[in-house]
Amino acid sequence: MKLYIKQRVFSIGDKYDVCDEWGNPVYHVESEVFTFLDKIHIYDMQGRELFFIKRKMSFFGAIYEIYNGDILCADIRQRVRFLRSQLDINSQYGQFEIDGDFFAHNFTVYNGNQLAGTVAKAYLSWGDSYELDISSYSDPAFFTTLVIAIDNCLHNENNN
């Protein structure tokens, strides 16, 4: 399954539209504007919250948590080693690993030794745009949420 994440450029707070390969909206993503720590909500097209991402206070690398309601589904911890960043992703869905250049937004995500999906950034677009190719066994909403959390963990920490 292919999904496309497109950041809205002129909006207050982070807002993303997630569409299928035919351009039909699938999810809507929106951050809270006036919060101390980042909080991003992922909604289906009926307005029901599927997941939310919450940034935790940390002095040594970023920590982001993914929730489904009150249930902690995953956490992403950034570790800096030898001037290089590494992510540890633990979740109730398994242990995730990233292969590729996640700083350039082109990477593959594995759940154990199974392919969960791939992420590729579209460079000639207005705002950030990503193509997600999600494996058939992965939950598309969770995978989309995971990619948004990874992006925030790696690229928004210097802005906060």
Side-chain angles (χ1 to χ4, degrees):
M1 163 184 246
K2 286 195 180 192
L3 293 178
Y4 298 88
I5 299 174
K6 175 78 172 139
Q7 182 180 25
R8 291 188 193 174
V9 177
F10 299 109
S11 65
I12 297 174
D14 286 338
K15 291 184 182 176
Y16 305 89
D17 293 314
V18 181
C19 299
D20 63 18
E21 54 196 304
W22 299 280
N24 301 314
V26 179
Y27 309 119
H28 175 70
V29 181
E30 194 169 315
S31 69
E32 290 185 15
V33 178
F34 299 109
T35 58
F36 174 64
L37 296 173
D38 293 340
K39 195 168 183 185
I40 302 168
H41 302 271
I42 291 80
Y43 301 101
D44 67 11
M45 295 317 296
Q46 287 74 41
R48 294 180 296 244
E49 182 180 78
L50 302 173
F51 294 97
F52 71 87
I53 302 164
K54 182 169 123 179
R55 183 170 70 99
K56 300 276 295 189
M57 180 65 95
S58 172
F59 296 106
F60 303 105
I63 301 173
Y64 281 78
E65 295 176 331
I66 298 174
Y67 288 87
N68 182 343
D70 293 333
I71 300 168
L72 176 63
C73 297
D75 66 60
I76 300 148
R77 295 174 184 271
Q78 180 185 35
R79 290 186 291 143
V80 179
R81 290 191 170 169
F82 306 111
L83 301 175
R84 188 165 180 232
S85 212
Q86 178 180 342
L87 297 179
D88 294 323
I89 304 170
N90 298 301
S91 83
Q92 69 181 29
Y93 300 107
Q95 184 74 28
F96 288 87
E97 301 284 330
I98 299 174
D99 185 31
D101 189 357
F102 51 83
F103 281 105
H105 306 297
N106 292 303
F107 55 90
T108 303
V109 179
Y110 294 94
N111 188 344
N113 59 2
Q114 271 191 310
L115 175 68
T118 61
V119 178
K121 181 169 180 158
Y123 289 102
L124 298 175
S125 66
W126 190 260
D128 287 336
S129 294
Y130 303 95
E131 177 183 279
L132 310 181
D133 194 354
I134 304 167
S135 129
S136 61
Y137 90 93
S138 293
D139 174 358
F142 178 75
F143 189 82
T144 301
T145 305
L146 182 64
V147 169
I148 292 168
I150 289 168
D151 181 66
N152 276 271
C153 187
L154 293 171
H155 304 288
N156 287 0
E157 279 307 298
N158 295 332
N159 300 332
N160 295 323

